Amino acid sequence: MATAPSAASPGQKPISVVCVGMAGSGKTTFMQRINSYLHQKREPPYVLNLDPAVRSTPYESNIDIRDSVNYKEVMKQYNLGPNGGIITSLNLFATKIDQVLGLLEKRCLPDASAATPTKPPHKHILLDTPGQIEVFVWSASGSILLSALASSFPTVLAYIIDTPRTTSSTSTFMSNMLYAISIMYKTKLPMILVFNKTDVKDPSESIEWMRDFESFQAALRREEETETEGGAGGTGYMSSLLNSMSLVLEEFYNNLSVVGVSSMTGDGVDDFFAAVESKRAEFDAEYAPELQRRRAEREAEKEGNREKEVERLMKDMGVSEKKAKGKPREEPETVSEAEEMSDDDDVGDDSEDEANTGRGGAESGLKQRYQQALQDSSSMSAEDASFAKYLAAARANQS
């Protein structure tokens, strides 16, 4: 059995492990096992529980969503069902993500002010998520929580799979694989497939289906023959679909790390943390630069929006000034009328030049002041929206 390497060297950020999985896959028990394992190694993790509907957890949580949101009261107040209550609870908790990150950075990041950086008090951050996997992974609040976490700490997804259920059916196996790959590409985070309950069923068959296309084809044929002999009539359409999907997804399997773990006995936990450390290097090499690029794009987009608002403001001010002057002068119809209008323009040129010079300087200074005000604003997105509404209302009043 492989021995897990040291979780974090002195001065290194802790790594966050987000446990996701289908209902009944043993996710909470797995959380209890890896938490106990780290305590035995005298490396206690920082634990977050993000499941508002769970009655009790077999581990102590440093941050618990149930301390901030009352799931039953949310259901009553908003007249929601179980899944709607979980989503709304997560949405309410996501509004406090800045406080959560502040606590994590205070407790888990190395002390940068120290003369010699010391190792952080916590080397791992463990997150338990709701059993309804789609409620967390595909919701806006789940995306906010994961993105915020990954922006501060190396983050790895642990996708927990019920090994006995998956191995018993090729269609269940394929459903788990499709879900795992879709989550990986949705979150754009490194993922580890954890075949849980290895004390009940050995995961070698499922792993072989992933690595060997011919082995999966043989299992499909055996299932079809069994159903035909049992009078079920076979599932030709389903077999053809599973064949096609397994062939297409074969190249993706090679990029997935796979470990077998027993949450009951603790077998394979060393292998899991070894895989976590390998994903740390993958996160630093591939995912962190992508996060930085997306952050730079968002900043550039914000700056562009600021410039557009300033230009729109100056344009609106110019339109208002033209309206104050009255209707535009009619074009001359004859040469003599044109000469008379030219003489009138010459008389007022000097005074108009002086006025234009003063106006131009005032507009330039005004534009600079608005640009500075927009740049100094700490909550720019909300103020930009309010400012745009103000301009729209002003234009409506003028029309």
Side-chain angles (χ1 to χ4, degrees), residues 17-35 59 126-134 136-137 156-167 172-173 175-181 183-184 190-199 203 206 210 256-264 267-269 272-273 275-276:
V17 180
V18 182
C19 296
V20 296
M22 298 286 190
S25 60
K27 180 168 51 61
T28 301
T29 309
F30 175 77
M31 272 283 298
Q32 187 274 335
R33 171 57 62 183
I34 60 177
N35 178 56
Y59 51 83
L126 305 181
L127 282 85
D128 194 9
T129 59
Q132 291 81 349
I133 185 173
E134 67 282 354
F136 177 78
V137 174
V156 176
L157 293 176
Y159 184 74
I160 316 302
I161 298 174
D162 186 344
T163 303
R165 189 183 304 173
T166 299
T167 309
T172 305
F173 166 81
S175 297
N176 267 296
M177 295 300 104
L178 287 172
Y179 221 128
I181 291 172
I183 291 172
M184 184 176 67
M191 174 179 284
I192 302 173
L193 296 186
V194 181
F195 282 91
N196 195 17
K197 305 180 183 180
T198 57
D199 55 309
S206 295
M210 292 178 60
L256 296 177
S257 298
V258 183
V259 294
V261 174
S262 172
S263 297
M264 293 298 295
D267 185 35
V269 176
F272 171 74
F273 280 102
V276 167

Side-chain angles (χ1 to χ4, degrees), residues 264-309:
M264 293 298 295
T265 65
D267 185 35
V269 176
D270 284 332
D271 296 333
F272 171 74
F273 280 102
V276 167
E277 287 304 312
S278 67
K279 290 300 179 180
R280 177 199 292 272
E282 181 180 330
F283 180 91
D284 293 337
E286 299 181 11
Y287 291 86
E290 175 66 16
L291 290 174
Q292 293 294 333
R293 184 188 65 80
R294 284 187 286 172
R295 183 182 301 174
E297 288 181 354
R298 287 195 298 269
E299 291 298 327
E301 183 179 356
K302 286 183 180 180
E303 187 65 28
N305 291 336
R306 294 170 189 168
E307 293 293 335
K308 289 180 181 179
E309 290 298 335

Side-chain angles (χ1 to χ4, degrees), residues 135-375:
V135 169
F136 177 78
V137 174
W138 302 106
S139 65
S141 55
S143 299
I144 291 171
L145 292 168
L146 286 177
S147 299
L149 187 67
S151 66
S152 300
F153 303 95
T155 304
V156 176
L157 293 176
Y159 184 74
I160 316 302
I161 298 174
D162 186 344
T163 303
R165 189 183 304 173
T166 299
T167 309
S168 62
S169 170
T170 55
S171 59
T172 305
F173 166 81
M174 184 56 63
S175 297
N176 267 296
M177 295 300 104
L178 287 172
Y179 221 128
I181 291 172
S182 63
I183 291 172
M184 184 176 67
Y185 283 94
K186 168 69 168 59
T187 60
K188 297 181 173 60
L189 291 172
M191 174 179 284
I192 302 173
L193 296 186
V194 181
F195 282 91
N196 195 17
K197 305 180 183 180
T198 57
D199 55 309
V200 178
K201 180 70 175 180
D202 191 280
S204 58
E205 185 176 6
S206 295
I207 297 175
E208 186 180 3
W209 287 353
M210 292 178 60
R211 306 305 186 198
D212 187 359
F213 176 75
E214 295 297 334
S215 175
F216 185 76
Q217 297 290 311
L220 275 176
R221 288 193 295 269
R222 287 197 300 270
E223 279 191 5
E224 191 170 2
E225 291 173 358
T226 302
E227 291 177 356
T228 302
E229 293 175 358
T235 54
Y237 171 76
M238 180 61 70
S239 297
S240 176
L241 179 62
L242 293 176
N243 275 326
S244 301
M245 287 193 295
S246 63
L247 182 61
V248 171
L249 297 178
E250 185 179 16
E251 58 179 303
F252 295 104
Y253 293 156
N254 297 325
N255 298 323
L256 296 177
S257 298
V258 183
V259 294
V261 174
S262 172
S263 297
M264 293 298 295
T265 65
D267 185 35
V269 176
D270 284 332
D271 296 333
F272 171 74
F273 280 102
V276 167
E277 287 304 312
S278 67
K279 290 300 179 180
R280 177 199 292 272
E282 181 180 330
F283 180 91
D284 293 337
E286 299 181 11
Y287 291 86
E290 175 66 16
L291 290 174
Q292 293 294 333
R293 184 188 65 80
R294 284 187 286 172
R295 183 182 301 174
E297 288 181 354
R298 287 195 298 269
E299 291 298 327
E301 183 179 356
K302 286 183 180 180
E303 187 65 28
N305 291 336
R306 294 170 189 168
E307 293 293 335
K308 289 180 181 179
E309 290 298 335
V310 172
E311 294 297 333
R312 188 181 303 169
L313 170 67
M314 303 310 295
K315 182 178 179 181
D316 288 343
M317 291 178 63
V319 171
S320 300
E321 185 176 345
K322 288 181 180 179
K323 287 185 178 181
K325 290 181 179 180
K327 296 182 179 179
R329 186 171 50 182
E330 296 180 358
E331 293 294 330
E333 296 182 357
T334 63
V335 176
S336 59
E337 288 180 1
E339 289 177 352
E340 292 176 359
M341 294 177 65
S342 177
D343 292 339
D344 293 338
D345 291 340
D346 292 339
V347 173
D349 279 347
D350 294 339
S351 59
E352 288 182 3
D353 289 342
E354 292 177 359
N356 289 335
T357 301
R359 188 185 309 115
E363 288 182 357
S364 176
L366 182 62
K367 183 175 181 178
Q368 291 178 358
R369 288 197 298 272
Y370 274 110
Q371 286 177 335
Q372 185 65 34
L374 288 174
Q375 291 175 356

